[in-house]
Amino acid sequence: MATRRTQVGIVGAGPAGLLLAQLLMQRGIATIVLEQRDRRYVENRIRAGVLEQGTVDLLGEAGVGHRVAVEGQVHGGIEISLNGQRSRIDLARLTGGKAVTVYGQTEVIRDLINARLKAGGEIIFEAEEVTPLDLTGDQPRLSYRHNGEVCELTCDFIAGCDGFHGVCRSQIPKSVLRTYERVYPYAWLGILAEAPSPSHELIYASHPRGFALFSMRPPTRSRLYLQCTPDTDLAAWPDNRVWDELRLRLGPDDAGMLNEGPVLEKSITPMRSFVAEPLRHGRMFLAGDAAHIVPPTGAKGLNLAASDVRYLSWAFFQHYETGDSTRLDSYSKTALSRVWKAERFSWWMTLVLHKASEEDGFEARIRMAELEYLLSSQAAMTALAENYVGLPF
Ligand code: APR
Ligand code: PHB
């Protein structure tokens, strides 16, 4: 059996694990990343694409701020289309100049992997059967199999950045772990198309036929979503039907703005809210989707992974540079406080924008009142704007 040692053993090469590895590397803290998939798979997963300014800043601190600064599209507003009528929410004016940056998660991942490998950092792709061991002892370990060989990595700490389906969260004893969950009765059918998006800003559309989102992957592609049921069969949605439905949900005045083009990818995204508490067990810390999931409506998944990693990296800096573990001890509480606020916002955005059940007339009327109020009240728009651009740390 091959045995090795590192300071922080990181499970998962998603945004959380890779960003943590880069930040720690900048301050001389040794890490090894274990990832179950191959590099190609990790680099080609298509996911959300809206970055809060805090996330962009953190990428800069991690030494990967260059490409996002050049290629990312800064958006000072979003549009809400209510029953075919568009209104703009001026994020910049309502938040004192803050904005979001549209830059695909796929690009973030590529930047992080390239930077790590260039700097001589290690990512062990195709690490099988990764198992965290001895979490409550002084020397936690990660056992895994690589190229058929059984290996063991001894660490000071383990960072569980292995996403919702990872192994780390399940190592926390049931008597300690508490989970909170909401599964929504709808999903998103998403396409990536080789065609410019209908507007230069994102359009969130609430329509009697259901929600639709018109987003983009600059410079030339659009990323478009339709509310559907979780059991939707993609075979029933040929491209023509998707384009027709997108036009209908944009409404007759705006339907002409939609540009059709070859569909490069089509998939269904389920919607759930989930939080696991606490984010620490012994010497293992959870960050990102390993600990929490948000429905994609508020575009918070990647940003929450980044904010966890910000707190966790500060805690490791303090521990290794001063010997003080106060921040490691308070990590779970501090990170969860921000997580729950983003959970609340994502839940709220999801409920107000999606079509409620046909039978529940009361819920549908309340939802309409909420949207009309939102679009007519500076106070309500400000509340949306400050959450959308990202709450402070
Ligand atoms: N062993 C090793 N690696 C694992 C294991 C395992 N047992 N299980 C999962 N992984 C890897 C996955 O293959 C994936 O590459 O962990 C990584 C987790 O990455 P993400 O799922 O992207 O999670 P995270 O880094 O927390 O990023 C959250 O990703 O899901 C999106 O929208 C979400 O933007 C958010 C972001
Ligand atoms: C995306 O571009 O994929 C996207 C944008 C905004 C969201 C969700 C997804 O709220």
Side-chain angles (χ1 to χ4, degrees):
M1 180 175 70
T3 56
R4 305 185 54 189
R5 218 202 113 67
T6 192
Q7 288 175 299
V8 181
I10 299 177
V11 186
L18 291 169
L19 189 53
L20 180 65
Q22 274 317 98
L23 289 164
L24 297 186
M25 183 189 257
Q26 305 282 320
R27 301 276 277 255
I29 300 168
T31 57
I32 292 179
V33 180
L34 300 180
E35 164 59 51
Q36 72 177 0
R37 303 287 193 153
D38 63 29
R39 179 174 175 181
R40 214 180 120 79
Y41 179 92
V42 171
E43 286 191 338
N44 288 295
R45 264 186 305 219
I46 299 173
R47 277 156 166 192
V50 177
L51 309 185
E52 295 171 1
Q53 188 55 46
T55 303
V56 175
D57 293 344
L58 199 62
L59 291 172
E61 284 168 39
V64 292
H66 180 69
R67 203 157 68 96
V68 62
V70 176
E71 294 177 23
Q73 260 186 21
V74 177
H75 287 199
I78 55 170
E79 302 206 68
I80 306 272
S81 165
L82 178 55
N83 303 336
Q85 295 298 308
R86 251 182 317 133
S87 310
R88 181 165 190 266
I89 298 197
D90 191 333
L91 299 173
R93 186 177 59 76
L94 294 163
T95 61
K98 298 205 176 95
V100 292
T101 298
V102 175
Y103 187 70
Q105 182 170 316
T106 318
E107 307 309 317
V108 173
I109 292 287
R110 287 181 187 168
D111 293 345
L112 285 165
I113 291 180
N114 284 337
R116 179 158 180 85
L117 299 182
K118 202 166 147 205
E122 210 175 337
I123 306 170
I124 301 177
F125 289 103
E126 298 178 81
E128 297 169 78
E129 295 164 29
V130 174
T131 312
L133 301 166
D134 272 349
L135 297 177
T136 51
D138 286 345
Q139 299 246 296
R141 289 168 293 133
L142 287 167
S143 77
Y144 61 100
R145 221 152 50 83
H146 191 236
N147 292 334
E149 191 185 3
V150 178
C151 310
E152 209 168 79
L153 184 61
T154 306
C155 316
D156 296 339
F157 298 101
I158 290 171
C161 302
D162 51 348
F164 185 65
H165 300 287
V167 285
C168 289
R169 187 179 65 248
S170 63
Q171 302 300 312
I172 304 182
K174 286 206 165 52
S175 57
V176 177
L177 188 73
R178 175 127 197 228
T179 60
Y180 302 82
E181 185 164 30
R182 177 115 329 159
V183 176
Y184 300 89
Y186 26 75
W188 283 7
L189 187 163
I191 61 166
L192 179 69
E194 193 60 68
S197 63
S199 161
H200 70 282
E201 291 180 337
L202 271 66
I203 306 175
Y204 289 85
S206 180
H207 189 274
R209 296 180 68 90
F211 170 76
L213 170 61
F214 301 81
S215 178
M216 64 227 33
R217 291 292 177 274
T220 57
R221 292 177 175 172
S222 44
R223 181 80 173 133
L224 310 166
Y225 300 95
L226 288 169
Q227 176 184 350
C228 62
T229 54
D231 61 357
T232 296
D233 179 6
L234 278 180
W237 284 88
D239 298 353
N240 282 347
R241 183 172 176 208
V242 175
W243 291 115
D244 288 345
E245 191 62 33
L246 285 164
R247 263 189 294 271
L248 285 171
R249 296 190 192 183
L250 210 42
D253 293 350
D254 291 341
M257 298 186 337
L258 195 67
N259 306 297
E260 284 194 29
V263 173
L264 308 173
E265 195 251 5
K266 196 186 285 170
S267 57
I268 306 272
T269 309
M271 315 264 287
R272 82 166 78 219
S273 298
F274 174 88
V275 183
E277 295 184 350
L279 303 184
R280 174 183 193 170
H281 182 60
R283 288 182 163 256
M284 179 181 75
F285 297 85
L286 301 179
D289 278 14
H292 41 73
I293 296 287
V294 283
T297 326
K300 291 289 169 226
L302 171 59
N303 293 299
L304 267 194
S307 80
D308 285 355
V309 162
R310 173 186 295 254
Y311 293 124
L312 189 54
S313 61
W314 283 345
F316 283 133
F317 299 158
Q318 187 193 44
H319 172 83
Y320 282 108
E321 291 168 11
T322 70
D324 181 350
S325 295
T326 319
R327 282 188 173 164
L328 281 176
D329 293 339
S330 58
Y331 164 71
S332 180
K333 189 161 178 267
T334 314
L336 281 169
S337 158
R338 196 168 185 282
V339 164
W340 273 112
K341 293 185 193 94
E343 290 283 346
R344 185 209 66 82
F345 175 65
S346 306
W347 162 86
W348 173 81
M349 277 275 273
T350 302
L351 288 193
V352 294
L353 288 169
H354 289 75
K355 185 181 166 180
S357 92
E358 296 279 310
E359 306 90 65
D360 197 339
F362 181 80
E363 203 178 300
R365 287 288 200 283
I366 291 285
R367 205 168 69 72
M368 236 7 85
E370 174 118 30
L371 280 168
E372 285 173 17
Y373 169 64
L374 168 69
L375 297 175
S376 63
S377 156
Q378 288 292 302
M381 277 194 273
T382 305
L384 184 152
E386 79 178 358
N387 280 279
Y388 196 83
V389 300
L391 294 176
F393 295 94

